PDB file of all heavy atoms in Angstrom:
ATOM      1  N   ILE A 178      11.451   2.366   2.015  1.00  0.00           N
ATOM      2  CA  ILE A 178      11.073   1.068   1.433  1.00  0.00           C
ATOM      3  C   ILE A 178      10.752   1.291  -0.086  1.00  0.00           C
ATOM      4  O   ILE A 178      11.241   0.540  -0.953  1.00  0.00           O
ATOM      5  CB  ILE A 178       9.788   0.531   2.123  1.00  0.00           C
ATOM      6  CG1 ILE A 178      10.080   0.254   3.581  1.00  0.00           C
ATOM      7  CG2 ILE A 178       9.279  -0.784   1.383  1.00  0.00           C
ATOM      8  CD1 ILE A 178      11.263  -0.683   3.797  1.00  0.00           C
ATOM      9  N   ILE A 179       9.939   2.259  -0.474  1.00  0.00           N
ATOM     10  CA  ILE A 179       9.599   2.463  -1.859  1.00  0.00           C
ATOM     11  C   ILE A 179      10.793   2.826  -2.673  1.00  0.00           C
ATOM     12  O   ILE A 179      10.889   2.422  -3.882  1.00  0.00           O
ATOM     13  CB  ILE A 179       8.556   3.682  -1.816  1.00  0.00           C
ATOM     14  CG1 ILE A 179       7.296   3.205  -1.264  1.00  0.00           C
ATOM     15  CG2 ILE A 179       8.318   4.231  -3.300  1.00  0.00           C
ATOM     16  CD1 ILE A 179       6.222   4.252  -0.903  1.00  0.00           C
ATOM     17  N   ASP A 180      11.756   3.584  -2.183  1.00  0.00           N
ATOM     18  CA  ASP A 180      12.899   3.881  -2.944  1.00  0.00           C
ATOM     19  C   ASP A 180      13.714   2.641  -3.379  1.00  0.00           C
ATOM     20  O   ASP A 180      14.499   2.672  -4.346  1.00  0.00           O
ATOM     21  CB  ASP A 180      14.009   4.805  -2.065  1.00  0.00           C
ATOM     22  CG  ASP A 180      13.532   6.200  -2.051  1.00  0.00           C
ATOM     23  OD1 ASP A 180      12.716   6.594  -2.907  1.00  0.00           O
ATOM     24  OD2 ASP A 180      13.916   6.955  -1.157  1.00  0.00           O
ATOM     25  N   ASN A 181      13.547   1.501  -2.691  1.00  0.00           N
ATOM     26  CA  ASN A 181      14.319   0.357  -2.968  1.00  0.00           C
ATOM     27  C   ASN A 181      13.594  -0.552  -3.898  1.00  0.00           C
ATOM     28  O   ASN A 181      14.160  -1.664  -4.282  1.00  0.00           O
ATOM     29  CB  ASN A 181      14.659  -0.413  -1.668  1.00  0.00           C
ATOM     30  CG  ASN A 181      15.690   0.268  -0.767  1.00  0.00           C
ATOM     31  OD1 ASN A 181      16.505   0.963  -1.229  1.00  0.00           O
ATOM     32  ND2 ASN A 181      15.538   0.209   0.548  1.00  0.00           N
ATOM     33  N   ILE A 182      12.472  -0.244  -4.429  1.00  0.00           N
ATOM     34  CA  ILE A 182      11.715  -0.972  -5.427  1.00  0.00           C
ATOM     35  C   ILE A 182      11.708  -0.228  -6.655  1.00  0.00           C
ATOM     36  O   ILE A 182      10.911   0.704  -6.805  1.00  0.00           O
ATOM     37  CB  ILE A 182      10.441  -1.364  -4.886  1.00  0.00           C
ATOM     38  CG1 ILE A 182      10.504  -2.059  -3.527  1.00  0.00           C
ATOM     39  CG2 ILE A 182       9.742  -2.256  -5.783  1.00  0.00           C
ATOM     40  CD1 ILE A 182       9.215  -2.425  -2.844  1.00  0.00           C
ATOM     41  N   PRO A 183      12.366  -0.644  -7.745  1.00  0.00           N
ATOM     42  CA  PRO A 183      12.311  -0.013  -9.056  1.00  0.00           C
ATOM     43  C   PRO A 183      11.020  -0.240  -9.759  1.00  0.00           C
ATOM     44  O   PRO A 183      10.423  -1.381  -9.615  1.00  0.00           O
ATOM     45  CB  PRO A 183      13.445  -0.568  -9.819  1.00  0.00           C
ATOM     46  CG  PRO A 183      13.631  -1.964  -9.236  1.00  0.00           C
ATOM     47  CD  PRO A 183      13.336  -1.787  -7.829  1.00  0.00           C
ATOM     48  N   PRO A 184      10.520   0.593 -10.644  1.00  0.00           N
ATOM     49  CA  PRO A 184       9.268   0.491 -11.366  1.00  0.00           C
ATOM     50  C   PRO A 184       9.184  -0.802 -12.179  1.00  0.00           C
ATOM     51  O   PRO A 184       8.092  -1.416 -12.304  1.00  0.00           O
ATOM     52  CB  PRO A 184       9.169   1.708 -12.134  1.00  0.00           C
ATOM     53  CG  PRO A 184       9.918   2.734 -11.414  1.00  0.00           C
ATOM     54  CD  PRO A 184      11.057   2.015 -10.801  1.00  0.00           C
ATOM     55  N   VAL A 185      10.339  -1.201 -12.777  1.00  0.00           N
ATOM     56  CA  VAL A 185      10.367  -2.412 -13.546  1.00  0.00           C
ATOM     57  C   VAL A 185       9.988  -3.603 -12.866  1.00  0.00           C
ATOM     58  O   VAL A 185       9.619  -4.659 -13.479  1.00  0.00           O
ATOM     59  CB  VAL A 185      11.713  -2.521 -14.335  1.00  0.00           C
ATOM     60  CG1 VAL A 185      12.049  -1.420 -15.313  1.00  0.00           C
ATOM     61  CG2 VAL A 185      12.884  -2.629 -13.234  1.00  0.00           C
ATOM     62  N   ALA A 186      10.241  -3.544 -11.518  1.00  0.00           N
ATOM     63  CA  ALA A 186       9.943  -4.819 -10.810  1.00  0.00           C
ATOM     64  C   ALA A 186       8.508  -4.943 -10.253  1.00  0.00           C
ATOM     65  O   ALA A 186       8.085  -6.027  -9.748  1.00  0.00           O
ATOM     66  CB  ALA A 186      10.843  -4.812  -9.526  1.00  0.00           C
ATOM     67  N   ILE A 187       7.630  -4.010 -10.544  1.00  0.00           N
ATOM     68  CA  ILE A 187       6.222  -3.924  -9.976  1.00  0.00           C
ATOM     69  C   ILE A 187       5.207  -4.370 -10.952  1.00  0.00           C
ATOM     70  O   ILE A 187       5.243  -4.119 -12.226  1.00  0.00           O
ATOM     71  CB  ILE A 187       5.971  -2.457  -9.559  1.00  0.00           C
ATOM     72  CG1 ILE A 187       6.933  -1.984  -8.531  1.00  0.00           C
ATOM     73  CG2 ILE A 187       4.484  -2.394  -9.083  1.00  0.00           C
ATOM     74  CD1 ILE A 187       6.804  -0.558  -8.130  1.00  0.00           C
ATOM     75  N   GLN A 188       4.433  -5.228 -10.541  1.00  0.00           N
ATOM     76  CA  GLN A 188       3.239  -5.796 -11.295  1.00  0.00           C
ATOM     77  C   GLN A 188       1.957  -4.897 -11.034  1.00  0.00           C
ATOM     78  O   GLN A 188       1.294  -4.495 -11.941  1.00  0.00           O
ATOM     79  CB  GLN A 188       2.934  -7.209 -10.874  1.00  0.00           C
ATOM     80  CG  GLN A 188       1.673  -7.732 -11.449  1.00  0.00           C
ATOM     81  CD  GLN A 188       1.816  -7.935 -12.970  1.00  0.00           C
ATOM     82  OE1 GLN A 188       2.890  -8.217 -13.407  1.00  0.00           O
ATOM     83  NE2 GLN A 188       0.684  -7.894 -13.762  1.00  0.00           N
ATOM     84  N   VAL A 189       1.775  -4.547  -9.718  1.00  0.00           N
ATOM     85  CA  VAL A 189       0.517  -3.749  -9.445  1.00  0.00           C
ATOM     86  C   VAL A 189       0.734  -3.062  -7.983  1.00  0.00           C
ATOM     87  O   VAL A 189       1.469  -3.556  -7.244  1.00  0.00           O
ATOM     88  CB  VAL A 189      -0.691  -4.645  -9.487  1.00  0.00           C
ATOM     89  CG1 VAL A 189      -0.671  -5.647  -8.364  1.00  0.00           C
ATOM     90  CG2 VAL A 189      -2.016  -3.782  -9.285  1.00  0.00           C
ATOM     91  N   ILE A 190       0.129  -1.917  -7.847  1.00  0.00           N
ATOM     92  CA  ILE A 190       0.190  -1.224  -6.641  1.00  0.00           C
ATOM     93  C   ILE A 190      -1.198  -0.922  -6.116  1.00  0.00           C
ATOM     94  O   ILE A 190      -2.076  -0.389  -7.008  1.00  0.00           O
ATOM     95  CB  ILE A 190       0.894   0.106  -6.774  1.00  0.00           C
ATOM     96  CG1 ILE A 190       2.392  -0.134  -7.207  1.00  0.00           C
ATOM     97  CG2 ILE A 190       0.962   0.839  -5.462  1.00  0.00           C
ATOM     98  CD1 ILE A 190       3.116   1.196  -7.520  1.00  0.00           C
ATOM     99  N   GLU A 191      -1.606  -1.173  -4.875  1.00  0.00           N
ATOM    100  CA  GLU A 191      -2.812  -0.768  -4.297  1.00  0.00           C
ATOM    101  C   GLU A 191      -2.530   0.425  -3.397  1.00  0.00           C
ATOM    102  O   GLU A 191      -1.598   0.411  -2.631  1.00  0.00           O
ATOM    103  CB  GLU A 191      -3.427  -1.913  -3.427  1.00  0.00           C
ATOM    104  CG  GLU A 191      -3.693  -3.203  -4.123  1.00  0.00           C
ATOM    105  CD  GLU A 191      -4.170  -4.214  -3.140  1.00  0.00           C
ATOM    106  OE1 GLU A 191      -5.328  -4.211  -2.713  1.00  0.00           O
ATOM    107  OE2 GLU A 191      -3.338  -5.166  -2.855  1.00  0.00           O
ATOM    108  N   VAL A 192      -3.475   1.518  -3.367  1.00  0.00           N
ATOM    109  CA  VAL A 192      -3.353   2.692  -2.626  1.00  0.00           C
ATOM    110  C   VAL A 192      -4.630   2.947  -1.875  1.00  0.00           C
ATOM    111  O   VAL A 192      -5.646   3.034  -2.497  1.00  0.00           O
ATOM    112  CB  VAL A 192      -2.958   3.893  -3.502  1.00  0.00           C
ATOM    113  CG1 VAL A 192      -2.815   5.174  -2.669  1.00  0.00           C
ATOM    114  CG2 VAL A 192      -1.664   3.612  -4.287  1.00  0.00           C
ATOM    115  N   TYR A 193      -4.627   2.969  -0.583  1.00  0.00           N
ATOM    116  CA  TYR A 193      -5.662   3.231   0.296  1.00  0.00           C
ATOM    117  C   TYR A 193      -5.436   4.363   1.159  1.00  0.00           C
ATOM    118  O   TYR A 193      -4.383   4.415   1.796  1.00  0.00           O
ATOM    119  CB  TYR A 193      -5.995   2.012   1.153  1.00  0.00           C
ATOM    120  CG  TYR A 193      -6.316   0.800   0.313  1.00  0.00           C
ATOM    121  CD1 TYR A 193      -5.283  -0.172   0.047  1.00  0.00           C
ATOM    122  CD2 TYR A 193      -7.542   0.544  -0.219  1.00  0.00           C
ATOM    123  CE1 TYR A 193      -5.590  -1.318  -0.692  1.00  0.00           C
ATOM    124  CE2 TYR A 193      -7.874  -0.628  -0.936  1.00  0.00           C
ATOM    125  CZ  TYR A 193      -6.804  -1.523  -1.249  1.00  0.00           C
ATOM    126  OH  TYR A 193      -7.129  -2.627  -1.971  1.00  0.00           O
ATOM    127  N   SER A 194      -6.383   5.384   1.150  1.00  0.00           N
ATOM    128  CA  SER A 194      -6.165   6.663   2.022  1.00  0.00           C
ATOM    129  C   SER A 194      -7.449   6.634   2.957  1.00  0.00           C
ATOM    130  O   SER A 194      -8.506   6.651   2.536  1.00  0.00           O
ATOM    131  CB  SER A 194      -6.152   7.734   1.115  1.00  0.00           C
ATOM    132  OG  SER A 194      -6.063   9.007   1.874  1.00  0.00           O
ATOM    133  N   GLY A 195      -7.143   6.791   4.238  1.00  0.00           N
ATOM    134  CA  GLY A 195      -8.211   6.849   5.257  1.00  0.00           C
ATOM    135  C   GLY A 195      -8.431   5.516   5.830  1.00  0.00           C
ATOM    136  O   GLY A 195      -8.648   4.466   5.069  1.00  0.00           O
ATOM    137  N   VAL A 196      -8.568   5.489   7.182  1.00  0.00           N
ATOM    138  CA  VAL A 196      -8.820   4.225   7.877  1.00  0.00           C
ATOM    139  C   VAL A 196     -10.103   3.435   7.404  1.00  0.00           C
ATOM    140  O   VAL A 196     -10.049   2.272   7.207  1.00  0.00           O
ATOM    141  CB  VAL A 196      -8.947   4.505   9.479  1.00  0.00           C
ATOM    142  CG1 VAL A 196      -9.276   3.216  10.163  1.00  0.00           C
ATOM    143  CG2 VAL A 196      -7.652   5.102   9.930  1.00  0.00           C
ATOM    144  N   SER A 197     -11.067   4.207   7.075  1.00  0.00           N
ATOM    145  CA  SER A 197     -12.407   3.481   6.620  1.00  0.00           C
ATOM    146  C   SER A 197     -12.249   2.789   5.331  1.00  0.00           C
ATOM    147  O   SER A 197     -13.057   1.978   4.953  1.00  0.00           O
ATOM    148  CB  SER A 197     -13.539   4.658   6.552  1.00  0.00           C
ATOM    149  OG  SER A 197     -13.252   5.562   5.585  1.00  0.00           O
ATOM    150  N   ARG A 198     -11.305   3.160   4.538  1.00  0.00           N
ATOM    151  CA  ARG A 198     -11.064   2.555   3.177  1.00  0.00           C
ATOM    152  C   ARG A 198     -10.032   1.399   3.181  1.00  0.00           C
ATOM    153  O   ARG A 198      -9.941   0.704   2.216  1.00  0.00           O
ATOM    154  CB  ARG A 198     -10.581   3.680   2.242  1.00  0.00           C
ATOM    155  CG  ARG A 198     -11.640   4.658   1.958  1.00  0.00           C
ATOM    156  CD  ARG A 198     -11.120   5.807   0.955  1.00  0.00           C
ATOM    157  NE  ARG A 198     -12.187   6.605   0.517  1.00  0.00           N
ATOM    158  CZ  ARG A 198     -12.975   6.502  -0.528  1.00  0.00           C
ATOM    159  NH1 ARG A 198     -12.593   5.402  -1.350  1.00  0.00           N
ATOM    160  NH2 ARG A 198     -13.834   7.213  -0.927  1.00  0.00           N
ATOM    161  N   ILE A 199      -9.265   1.236   4.248  1.00  0.00           N
ATOM    162  CA  ILE A 199      -8.186   0.283   4.207  1.00  0.00           C
ATOM    163  C   ILE A 199      -8.797  -1.111   4.536  1.00  0.00           C
ATOM    164  O   ILE A 199      -9.536  -1.393   5.471  1.00  0.00           O
ATOM    165  CB  ILE A 199      -7.158   0.558   5.335  1.00  0.00           C
ATOM    166  CG1 ILE A 199      -6.547   1.898   5.064  1.00  0.00           C
ATOM    167  CG2 ILE A 199      -6.069  -0.480   5.367  1.00  0.00           C
ATOM    168  CD1 ILE A 199      -5.601   2.442   6.157  1.00  0.00           C
ATOM    169  N   PRO A 200      -8.552  -2.187   3.627  1.00  0.00           N
ATOM    170  CA  PRO A 200      -9.067  -3.487   3.906  1.00  0.00           C
ATOM    171  C   PRO A 200      -8.407  -4.051   5.128  1.00  0.00           C
ATOM    172  O   PRO A 200      -7.366  -3.596   5.671  1.00  0.00           O
ATOM    173  CB  PRO A 200      -8.461  -4.322   2.643  1.00  0.00           C
ATOM    174  CG  PRO A 200      -8.228  -3.219   1.541  1.00  0.00           C
ATOM    175  CD  PRO A 200      -7.808  -2.001   2.359  1.00  0.00           C
ATOM    176  N   GLY A 201      -9.116  -5.037   5.750  1.00  0.00           N
ATOM    177  CA  GLY A 201      -8.757  -5.574   7.062  1.00  0.00           C
ATOM    178  C   GLY A 201      -7.400  -6.108   7.160  1.00  0.00           C
ATOM    179  O   GLY A 201      -6.671  -6.108   8.214  1.00  0.00           O
ATOM    180  N   GLU A 202      -6.841  -6.704   5.974  1.00  0.00           N
ATOM    181  CA  GLU A 202      -5.585  -7.416   5.961  1.00  0.00           C
ATOM    182  C   GLU A 202      -4.517  -6.412   6.060  1.00  0.00           C
ATOM    183  O   GLU A 202      -3.391  -6.736   6.358  1.00  0.00           O
ATOM    184  CB  GLU A 202      -5.462  -8.346   4.811  1.00  0.00           C
ATOM    185  CG  GLU A 202      -5.682  -7.632   3.440  1.00  0.00           C
ATOM    186  CD  GLU A 202      -7.073  -7.956   2.981  1.00  0.00           C
ATOM    187  OE1 GLU A 202      -8.122  -7.599   3.731  1.00  0.00           O
ATOM    188  OE2 GLU A 202      -7.328  -8.346   1.851  1.00  0.00           O
ATOM    189  N   PHE A 203      -4.773  -5.111   5.819  1.00  0.00           N
ATOM    190  CA  PHE A 203      -3.762  -4.050   5.892  1.00  0.00           C
ATOM    191  C   PHE A 203      -3.894  -3.048   6.979  1.00  0.00           C
ATOM    192  O   PHE A 203      -3.146  -2.228   7.124  1.00  0.00           O
ATOM    193  CB  PHE A 203      -3.712  -3.311   4.497  1.00  0.00           C
ATOM    194  CG  PHE A 203      -3.430  -4.098   3.312  1.00  0.00           C
ATOM    195  CD1 PHE A 203      -4.160  -3.915   2.129  1.00  0.00           C
ATOM    196  CD2 PHE A 203      -2.342  -5.097   3.270  1.00  0.00           C
ATOM    197  CE1 PHE A 203      -3.926  -4.674   1.067  1.00  0.00           C
ATOM    198  CE2 PHE A 203      -2.218  -5.859   2.200  1.00  0.00           C
ATOM    199  CZ  PHE A 203      -2.958  -5.606   1.018  1.00  0.00           C
ATOM    200  N   LEU A 204      -4.923  -3.266   7.836  1.00  0.00           N
ATOM    201  CA  LEU A 204      -5.245  -2.366   8.928  1.00  0.00           C
ATOM    202  C   LEU A 204      -4.351  -2.579  10.068  1.00  0.00           C
ATOM    203  O   LEU A 204      -4.811  -3.156  11.030  1.00  0.00           O
ATOM    204  CB  LEU A 204      -6.803  -2.398   9.254  1.00  0.00           C
ATOM    205  CG  LEU A 204      -7.394  -1.265   9.988  1.00  0.00           C
ATOM    206  CD1 LEU A 204      -7.129   0.060   9.259  1.00  0.00           C
ATOM    207  CD2 LEU A 204      -8.806  -1.512  10.328  1.00  0.00           C
ATOM    208  N   ASN A 205      -3.219  -1.983  10.060  1.00  0.00           N
ATOM    209  CA  ASN A 205      -2.104  -2.276  11.121  1.00  0.00           C
ATOM    210  C   ASN A 205      -1.528  -0.990  11.481  1.00  0.00           C
ATOM    211  O   ASN A 205      -0.523  -0.491  10.794  1.00  0.00           O
ATOM    212  CB  ASN A 205      -1.065  -3.156  10.621  1.00  0.00           C
ATOM    213  CG  ASN A 205      -0.122  -3.577  11.671  1.00  0.00           C
ATOM    214  OD1 ASN A 205       0.101  -2.881  12.651  1.00  0.00           O
ATOM    215  ND2 ASN A 205       0.363  -4.771  11.587  1.00  0.00           N
ATOM    216  N   ASP A 206      -2.123  -0.100  12.404  1.00  0.00           N
ATOM    217  CA  ASP A 206      -1.602   1.116  12.862  1.00  0.00           C
ATOM    218  C   ASP A 206      -1.338   1.989  11.558  1.00  0.00           C
ATOM    219  O   ASP A 206      -0.316   2.558  11.453  1.00  0.00           O
ATOM    220  CB  ASP A 206      -0.349   0.956  13.561  1.00  0.00           C
ATOM    221  CG  ASP A 206       0.156   2.271  14.207  1.00  0.00           C
ATOM    222  OD1 ASP A 206      -0.671   3.111  14.466  1.00  0.00           O
ATOM    223  OD2 ASP A 206       1.399   2.413  14.502  1.00  0.00           O
ATOM    224  N   ALA A 207      -2.307   2.175  10.736  1.00  0.00           N
ATOM    225  CA  ALA A 207      -2.121   2.892   9.413  1.00  0.00           C
ATOM    226  C   ALA A 207      -3.288   3.898   9.172  1.00  0.00           C
ATOM    227  O   ALA A 207      -4.440   3.642   9.469  1.00  0.00           O
ATOM    228  CB  ALA A 207      -2.102   1.876   8.291  1.00  0.00           C
ATOM    229  N   CYS A 208      -2.979   5.104   8.658  1.00  0.00           N
ATOM    230  CA  CYS A 208      -3.898   6.002   8.184  1.00  0.00           C
ATOM    231  C   CYS A 208      -4.064   5.939   6.623  1.00  0.00           C
ATOM    232  O   CYS A 208      -4.984   6.411   6.096  1.00  0.00           O
ATOM    233  CB  CYS A 208      -3.607   7.336   8.680  1.00  0.00           C
ATOM    234  SG  CYS A 208      -2.176   7.995   7.829  1.00  0.00           S
ATOM    235  N   ALA A 209      -2.911   5.300   6.099  1.00  0.00           N
ATOM    236  CA  ALA A 209      -2.930   5.062   4.604  1.00  0.00           C
ATOM    237  C   ALA A 209      -2.068   3.969   4.365  1.00  0.00           C
ATOM    238  O   ALA A 209      -1.102   3.563   5.109  1.00  0.00           O
ATOM    239  CB  ALA A 209      -2.429   6.358   3.841  1.00  0.00           C
ATOM    240  N   VAL A 210      -2.276   3.170   3.272  1.00  0.00           N
ATOM    241  CA  VAL A 210      -1.448   2.054   2.894  1.00  0.00           C
ATOM    242  C   VAL A 210      -1.142   2.077   1.462  1.00  0.00           C
ATOM    243  O   VAL A 210      -1.853   2.415   0.574  1.00  0.00           O
ATOM    244  CB  VAL A 210      -2.378   0.795   3.207  1.00  0.00           C
ATOM    245  CG1 VAL A 210      -1.647  -0.482   2.502  1.00  0.00           C
ATOM    246  CG2 VAL A 210      -2.520   0.527   4.660  1.00  0.00           C
ATOM    247  N   VAL A 211       0.133   1.658   1.184  1.00  0.00           N
ATOM    248  CA  VAL A 211       0.629   1.456  -0.216  1.00  0.00           C
ATOM    249  C   VAL A 211       1.044   0.039  -0.145  1.00  0.00           C
ATOM    250  O   VAL A 211       1.991  -0.416   0.491  1.00  0.00           O
ATOM    251  CB  VAL A 211       1.808   2.366  -0.523  1.00  0.00           C
ATOM    252  CG1 VAL A 211       2.358   2.017  -1.863  1.00  0.00           C
ATOM    253  CG2 VAL A 211       1.441   3.747  -0.445  1.00  0.00           C
TER     254      VAL A 211
END
């Protein structure tokens, strides 16, 4: 997925590592979220 998005197209990136840090809207079978 990441390979298909060039940097020029991006406004902002959120990075969350660890289940306790992931916001509820992104907590979907994840240990980390980009």
Side-chain angles (χ1 to χ4, degrees):
I178 301 301
I179 290 169
D180 279 340
N181 289 328
I182 304 177
V185 295
I187 299 173
Q188 174 68 27
V189 62
I190 302 175
E191 298 176 77
V192 181
Y193 299 98
S194 177
V196 176
S197 63
R198 292 177 171 269
I199 300 174
E202 53 264 56
F203 299 136
L204 196 57
N205 187 333
D206 187 28
C208 68
V210 166
V211 175

